[in-house]
Amino acid sequence: MTANELREKYVAFFVSKGHVQIQGKSLLPDNDPTVLFTTAGMHPLVPYLLGEEHPAGTRLVNYQKCIRTGDIDCVGDFSHLTFFEMLGNWSLGDYFKEGAIEMSFEFLTSPQWLNIPIEKLGVTVYEGDASVPRDEESAAVWKRLGIPENRIAYLPREDNWWGPAGSTGPCGPDSEMFYYIGDAPCNKDCKPGCACNKWLEIWNDVFMQYNKNAAGEYEPLTRKCVDTGMGIERTVTILNGKRSVYDTEIFAPVRGAVEQAAGYTYGTDEEKDKSVRIVCDHLRASTFILGDPKAVSPSNVGAGYVLRRLIRRAVRHGKNLGIATDQPFLSPIAAILIEQMQGPYPELMENKARIIEELDREERKFLETLQKGEHEFEKLLPNLLKDPRKIMPGRLAFKLYDTYGFPIELTEELAAENGMKVHREEFDEAFKKHQELSRAGSEQVFKGGLQDHGETTTKYHTATHLLHQALRLVLGEHIAQKGSNITAERMRFDFAHPAPMTPEEIQKVEAIVSEQIQKDLPISFAVMELEAAKASGAIALFGEKYEAQVKVYTIGPAEGFFAKEVCGGPHVERTGILGKFTIQKEQSSSAGVRRIRAVLV
């Protein structure tokens, strides 16, 4: 079964069960400072899982592109991926455990759908603790459907519990589905979740059943939700009996192009195979990031830094494969990927020129960086050669890596050419400390994926609409929002505009927003057809795909409103509670995109 067939079957199955297909969203979350990228299929639906009404109803299904960056250094094995696709179905206060599990089981085992033999399946459920009892309800449904007791594992909170993202909020147990890939159990107690890795997880049903309150108590929710996720790449691997995701048709065109560029046949040498897998994954992730409607360019901060790291790591491993570096090699392979994936993701073809341009620019820039690193190594060399031990200190190798982006593998190559070795343990120690510092900082960013719906951030979200309209009034109707990032301390707003704003323009925008706040305008919303929303004067942002039914927020009276946009929320009820609006800075974000930082006090 191909990825396209799995994607189509999944959606068709849940549509037949009364679900409405909704569009997948951007890889770059809007108004969510907790993550750099959309990390799971549920991420764009968080407001609705937390209680907002979805325009499409209570039963939803889609496929969503995702990026996870925590395991970049692990990519190169047979299973880790940076970019992946997630299939998901949701119940927003509709069916719960029994309905979700029954549908999961039917899709997995029915001859009409995936036709997986029941003897290949096992599941895990929450084992319970002093706060929340064991999930016997889910286990009972699985038993009734034919999963035997010895293939049901009760696992602790760290394995079978979701949320809350913060200290309080919705949370609950989950039930995970596993496919058996082994020949024989590792022992008599071998069950799904066993460390022997003979059971591979393919699907997860999350049951948002409780609210954790400020006292740390778990209160049953009156509106229970279901959130599920099935990874396309992993499931296709299993269904086709492949050893690795890189052996499937999903990666075949890109992997073939990498082999051709390198003059290498995959499967010949494990170290080179690893480099092939890294190039395939990192180029795939980079292409999707660059092809996203919310354009991100390689940079030294945030999502742009992750993108730069992916591209440069791909280039380095291309060099390991012997690919010539006199001309960029990534963009021709990206063109093949774009052709392959444009069906489910037409934005790739729409942004093809930008993808190619950015890949070429960053690859050339990195090759210049490598030249600088080699030059710095040459400057260090005379003193290094004076050491009779012929060992290059790891701290110097790390300085080349940290300051110039020069890979340790290339430092070791240059050292070897000069009869030296690098003190790798010292380098690894410095690198580990660097990772720990980075991780400590990242914890302030990657806090769990739930947007902050607190009072302050809700005010800031509303203020972005006022700012957007004020910019259109001052600079012109060509102004289009390109992204925003909101925390409890400030708002950041990106918009398309070819030139820096003048001090007078900034002052005018600030005055217009302040005037609307002082007017204490009412804020209302309505659900309507997308075309009707546009006809009514509502702005639809980013060139994103929208559902047929959308939420439209209006600031001001129905006639003579100040601003009207298609948006999922959250918003305050009147502008008067926002407080004083002040623009702190206006600067460039990327080519043709300006950035405003502002505060409410």
Side-chain angles (χ1 to χ4, degrees):
M1 182 179 292
T2 67
N4 283 339
E5 289 169 341
L6 174 60
R7 199 184 293 110
E8 291 167 3
K9 276 181 175 286
Y10 189 93
V11 172
F13 173 79
F14 282 100
V15 167
S16 76
K17 300 295 185 182
H19 293 65
V20 175
Q21 183 181 1
I22 58 174
Q23 299 290 349
K25 298 300 182 183
S26 168
L27 274 173
L28 297 130
D30 188 32
N31 297 329
D32 185 357
T34 64
V35 290
L36 293 177
F37 295 101
T38 297
T39 58
M42 55 76 68
H43 194 163
L45 284 163
V46 165
Y48 309 105
L49 294 168
L50 292 178
E52 287 196 37
E53 298 299 320
H54 196 287
T58 60
R59 294 189 177 203
L60 312 173
V61 61
N62 79 342
Y63 56 89
Q64 173 68 47
K65 51 188 180 180
C66 304
I67 293 277
R68 288 185 185 169
T69 60
D71 295 325
I72 286 179
D73 291 323
C74 297
V75 171
D77 62 10
F78 292 106
S79 60
H80 279 90
L81 294 172
T82 310
F83 170 88
F84 59 97
E85 295 182 77
M86 188 68 78
L87 298 164
N89 60 282
W90 290 270
S91 165
L92 306 177
D94 195 318
Y95 59 83
F96 198 48
K97 291 182 182 179
E98 184 174 30
I101 291 173
E102 286 177 345
M103 282 186 272
S104 296
F105 182 80
E106 181 181 351
F107 182 69
L108 289 170
T109 62
S110 170
Q112 181 183 354
W113 303 107
L114 298 193
N115 197 30
I116 294 175
I118 190 172
E119 58 270 18
K120 284 283 190 180
L121 292 178
V123 300
T124 62
V125 296
Y126 179 54
E127 73 172 6
D129 57 22
S131 302
V132 177
R134 176 185 285 219
D135 188 6
E136 296 289 8
E137 184 181 355
S138 293
V141 178
W142 285 118
K143 291 174 187 177
R144 176 170 59 78
L145 292 171
I147 301 295
E149 186 92 40
N150 65 353
R151 281 192 267 129
I152 299 176
Y154 294 86
L155 298 182
R157 187 174 290 260
E158 56 264 28
D159 296 300
N160 280 75
W161 184 270
W162 183 92
S167 57
T168 62
C171 53
D174 63 39
S175 184
E176 300 174 2
M177 287 143 271
F178 290 75
Y179 183 93
Y180 189 68
I181 58 174
D183 298 322
C186 64
N187 59 55
K188 62 182 179 63
D189 297 319
C190 184
K191 288 185 178 182
C194 180
C196 69
N197 293 321
K198 294 186 177 184
W199 291 95
L200 191 64
E201 181 192 347
I202 55 175
W203 204 350
N204 186 11
D205 289 353
V206 177
F207 306 119
M208 295 189 191
Q209 187 174 357
Y210 299 96
N211 176 68
K212 184 180 180 183
N213 62 27
E217 300 165 336
Y218 292 88
E219 308 163 328
L221 289 169
T222 54
R223 181 180 182 269
K224 298 179 176 66
C225 295
V226 175
D227 154 37
T228 88
M230 170 184 274
I232 286 183
E233 292 84 357
R234 181 175 289 190
T235 306
V236 167
T237 302
I238 290 169
L239 293 174
N240 289 285
K242 299 295 185 181
R243 179 187 177 209
S244 162
V245 294
Y246 297 97
D247 295 330
T248 66
E249 51 83 27
I250 296 172
F251 281 92
V254 172
R255 200 186 84 182
V258 173
E259 291 179 67
Q260 185 174 1
Y264 171 72
T265 301
Y266 186 78
T268 307
D269 176 89
E270 177 51 33
E271 278 304 307
K272 288 191 173 182
D273 286 354
K274 181 177 180 180
S275 288
V276 170
R277 293 191 289 266
I278 288 171
V279 174
C280 288
D281 170 85
H282 287 8
L283 178 57
R284 189 166 176 254
S286 300
T287 299
F288 270 91
I289 294 171
L290 288 168
D292 197 89
K294 299 180 187 177
V296 170
S297 296
S299 70
N300 290 326
V301 294
Y305 172 74
V306 173
L307 174 59
R308 169 162 286 169
R309 185 181 175 198
L310 289 169
I311 294 172
R312 292 187 172 194
R313 195 165 187 246
V315 172
R316 178 161 62 81
H317 281 274
K319 184 178 175 68
N320 290 351
L321 289 166
I323 296 176
T325 56
D326 56 332
Q327 291 293 325
F329 78 93
L330 293 179
S331 59
I333 303 175
I336 295 171
L337 176 64
I338 292 168
E339 183 69 29
Q340 175 195 1
M341 299 298 292
Q342 65 172 313
Y345 301 105
E347 64 268 23
L348 293 178
M349 186 60 73
E350 293 166 7
N351 295 300
K352 180 178 179 180
R354 180 179 183 277
I355 295 170
I356 300 302
E357 179 183 350
E358 291 279 14
L359 284 172
D360 284 352
R361 181 186 296 118
E362 185 62 22
E363 188 168 350
R364 288 192 173 98
K365 188 177 292 186
F366 183 46
L367 293 176
E368 292 174 5
T369 296
L370 294 181
Q371 291 176 350
K372 288 179 183 177
E374 290 176 0
H375 177 67
E376 290 300 320
F377 179 87
E378 293 296 330
K379 287 165 62 176
L380 294 171
L381 190 58
N383 284 330
L384 292 174
L385 291 175
K386 294 177 182 177
D387 185 348
R389 298 173 303 165
K390 303 299 182 188
I391 296 177
M392 179 181 185
R395 59 179 176 79
L396 292 180
F398 181 75
K399 181 180 179 182
L400 289 176
Y401 167 82
D402 190 40
T403 305
Y404 302 102
F406 200 71
I408 179 61
E409 291 84 359
L410 297 187
T411 301
E412 289 179 319
E413 285 182 19
L414 292 175
E417 289 172 7
N418 290 275
M420 293 186 297
K421 290 184 178 181
V422 174
H423 195 309
R424 190 58 187 261
E425 292 80 9
E426 190 176 281
F427 173 88
D428 290 340
E429 183 179 347
F431 183 74
K432 184 178 180 181
K433 288 181 180 177
H434 169 75
Q435 281 187 313
E436 289 171 353
L437 289 172
S438 298
R439 191 173 295 116
S442 296
E443 286 173 0
Q444 301 306 310
V445 178
F446 298 93
K447 292 184 288 188
L450 274 182
Q451 291 100 325
D452 182 353
H453 281 56
E455 180 182 353
T456 304
T457 49
T458 301
K459 289 180 180 179
Y460 274 120
H461 182 87
T462 306
T464 63
H465 293 289
L466 296 176
L467 174 60
H468 190 193
Q469 182 59 23
L471 287 166
R472 289 168 64 86
L473 292 172
V474 173
L475 301 178
E477 293 191 359
H478 67 279
I479 295 298
Q481 182 178 341
K482 286 297 182 181
S484 63
N485 182 273
I486 291 171
T487 70
E489 290 77 36
R490 57 99 180 117
M491 62 179 285
R492 193 182 75 199
F493 187 88
D494 293 352
F495 59 98
H497 189 56
M501 293 175 66
T502 66
E504 292 76 18
E505 288 170 336
I506 294 173
Q507 188 176 17
K508 284 181 182 179
V509 168
E510 191 174 86
I512 290 172
V513 174
S514 298
E515 181 184 0
Q516 308 315 309
I517 293 174
Q518 290 169 7
K519 286 182 178 179
D520 194 25
L521 299 174
I523 300 172
S524 59
F525 81 89
V527 176
M528 60 181 75
E529 298 285 338
L530 178 60
E531 292 308 312
K534 291 179 179 178
S536 73
I539 299 172
L541 303 180
F542 306 126
E544 280 194 9
K545 304 177 222 174
Y546 289 95
E547 279 69 62
Q549 295 278 330
V550 295
K551 272 187 175 181
V552 176
Y553 278 84
T554 302
I555 299 179
E559 299 295 330
F561 57 82
F562 175 74
K564 181 183 277 192
E565 291 191 20
V566 175
C567 185
H571 300 76
V572 298
E573 294 182 354
R574 301 190 71 87
T575 62
I577 69 171
L578 295 181
K580 183 182 178 182
F581 175 82
T582 303
I583 294 177
Q584 293 182 316
K585 184 184 290 187
E586 191 273 349
Q587 64 188 117
S588 172
S589 172
S590 59
V593 178
R594 306 299 298 175
R595 170 170 292 172
I596 281 177
R597 293 177 183 269
V599 294
L600 293 169
V601 293

